[in-house]
Amino acid sequence: MSTAIEIALHEALNSIKERVVDTPDVALVLGSGLGAFAEQLEDAYEIPYSEIKGFPVSTVTGHAGKYVIGKLGNKCVIAMQGRVHYYEGYSMDQVVMPIRIMKLLGAGILVLTNAAGGISYDFNPGTLMMITDQIASFVPSPLIGPNIDSLGKRFPDMSHIYDIKLQEVLKEVAKQCDIDLKQGVYLQTTGPNYESPTEVKMYRLLGADAVGMSTACEAMAANHMGMRVAGVSVITNLACGMMDKPLNHEEVKETADKVSKQFTILIKEFIKAI
Ligand code: HPA
């Protein structure tokens, strides 16, 4: 018997599948202020989320809200220019719906990107961090509810959420492009508020290097479906209590803008090298 989530997924899929001409090889999620990367895709066409049946639509500035499909080298890429977040009021299964659709369209690899606050003392605003693992214990799992057996199994292993081979490729590409790519653990909060200084201290004690309001739940849903996942955080600011001024979303977008050149080179060469 199909669950309500499964029915919603297939309705969304059926409403766009004819519009997706090539089978995507790689799915890409572009984080806050990083959406301009989609301009790199050749022969690109767009599907606004608002045209997809039952799809969640992003309400955040800096998040455009559409799929952009096009070529990078010999690969077909489906990019999400804008994602939806749990803090917008969507349920976790709605939040990960766009990820699941990209897998159902054929993408076996998922590249997740985001803007994040730096927790590690080794990071500065503008640092690029390859995600090696994550802490998702502060948000509900997107896999709660009846298991969708057609997507994956009930108790999925999470030993290597971020694919080891993809991490090797990413490091090698960064080296070749002379990009100082740091590594670390990403922690997801629900948002929309930034953290308190004491929460940041706690997250550091728990082993987190960066904090943000997305990504971990998407990586979990992708892992459940057997996708190979890679992740890159753009550290747009140091987390609360590490700088002597309050945080704001404008600053997050401005820093993301400043590093967008390096970010673009890294992600473009990475996708070509996979
Ligand atoms: N905290 C949470 N999410 C974020 C931050 C932060 O400091 N910066 C960008 N996204």
Side-chain angles (χ1 to χ4, degrees), residues 48 72 101 104 107 122 124 134 144 166 194 197 220 242-243 246:
L72 253 190
I101 291 289
L104 293 173
D122 292 341
N124 292 307
Q134 66 184 33
I144 289 173
L166 291 180
Y194 291 115
M220 203 186 288
M242 298 173 71
M243 291 193 299

Side-chain angles (χ1 to χ4, degrees), residues 7 112 147 153 163 172 179 199 211 223 231 237 262 272:
I7 292 168
L112 293 168
N147 186 53
K153 57 183 182 220
D163 185 87
E172 186 54 36
I179 291 172
E199 283 168 334
V211 57
N223 191 281
N237 55 279
Q262 270 205 332
K272 283 191 192 161

Side-chain angles (χ1 to χ4, degrees), residues 204-262:
R204 188 180 299 112
L205 283 173
L206 292 177
D209 298 292
V211 57
M213 306 173 194
S214 64
T215 303
C217 58
E218 298 165 347
M220 203 186 288
N223 191 281
H224 176 238
M225 291 183 289
M227 293 179 95
R228 296 173 62 207
V229 181
V232 174
S233 290
V234 174
I235 305 298
T236 49
N237 55 279
L238 294 183
C240 189
M242 298 173 71
M243 291 193 299
D244 53 9
K245 54 176 185 165
L247 300 181
N248 68 73
H249 185 58
E250 292 314 308
E251 186 188 331
V252 167
K253 284 189 290 175
E254 265 168 43
T255 313
D257 222 37
K258 276 191 207 140
V259 284
S260 72
K261 205 167 151 201
Q262 270 205 332

Side-chain angles (χ1 to χ4, degrees), residues 156-170:
D157 176 67
M158 294 280 149
S159 306
H160 297 292
I161 301 177
Y162 296 89
D163 185 87
I164 302 284
K165 286 211 183 89
L166 291 180
Q167 290 187 46
E168 291 305 322
V169 177
L170 192 51

Side-chain angles (χ1 to χ4, degrees), residues 58-226:
S58 175
T59 58
V60 191
T61 60
H63 283 263
K66 58 188 180 205
Y67 283 129
V68 183
I69 302 152
K71 295 259 178 210
L72 253 190
N74 61 359
K75 300 217 171 54
C76 177
V77 177
I78 178 162
M80 283 174 63
Q81 210 178 34
R83 53 156 58 95
V84 290
H85 303 81
Y86 186 59
Y87 64 73
E88 292 176 74
Y90 292 110
S91 61
M92 270 298 184
D93 52 80
Q94 285 176 305
V95 170
V96 300
M97 187 177 184
I99 306 286
R100 287 174 164 163
I101 291 289
M102 294 193 289
K103 171 69 164 56
L104 293 173
L105 286 169
I109 291 178
L110 174 66
V111 182
L112 293 168
T113 71
N114 58 51
I119 289 185
S120 163
Y121 289 115
D122 292 341
F123 297 171
N124 292 307
T127 294
L128 295 176
M129 182 191 94
M130 177 178 82
I131 307 177
T132 55
D133 199 6
Q134 66 184 33
I135 298 174
S137 321
F138 296 97
V139 292
S141 167
L143 308 180
I144 289 173
N147 186 53
I148 307 174
D149 296 331
S150 58
L151 297 185
K153 57 183 182 220
R154 173 79 291 190
F155 298 108
D157 176 67
M158 294 280 149
S159 306
H160 297 292
I161 301 177
Y162 296 89
D163 185 87
I164 302 284
K165 286 211 183 89
L166 291 180
Q167 290 187 46
E168 291 305 322
V169 177
L170 192 51
K171 282 191 278 186
E172 186 54 36
V173 167
K175 206 162 118 191
Q176 278 167 14
C177 299
D178 205 17
I179 291 172
D180 182 18
L181 181 66
K182 306 280 196 218
Q183 302 183 26
V185 172
Y186 177 92
L187 181 146
Q188 181 176 359
T189 66
T190 62
N193 52 291
Y194 291 115
E195 306 66 43
S196 73
T198 310
E199 283 168 334
V200 169
K201 270 191 212 159
M202 172 178 77
Y203 296 155
R204 188 180 299 112
L205 283 173
L206 292 177
D209 298 292
V211 57
M213 306 173 194
S214 64
T215 303
C217 58
E218 298 165 347
M220 203 186 288
N223 191 281
H224 176 238
M225 291 183 289

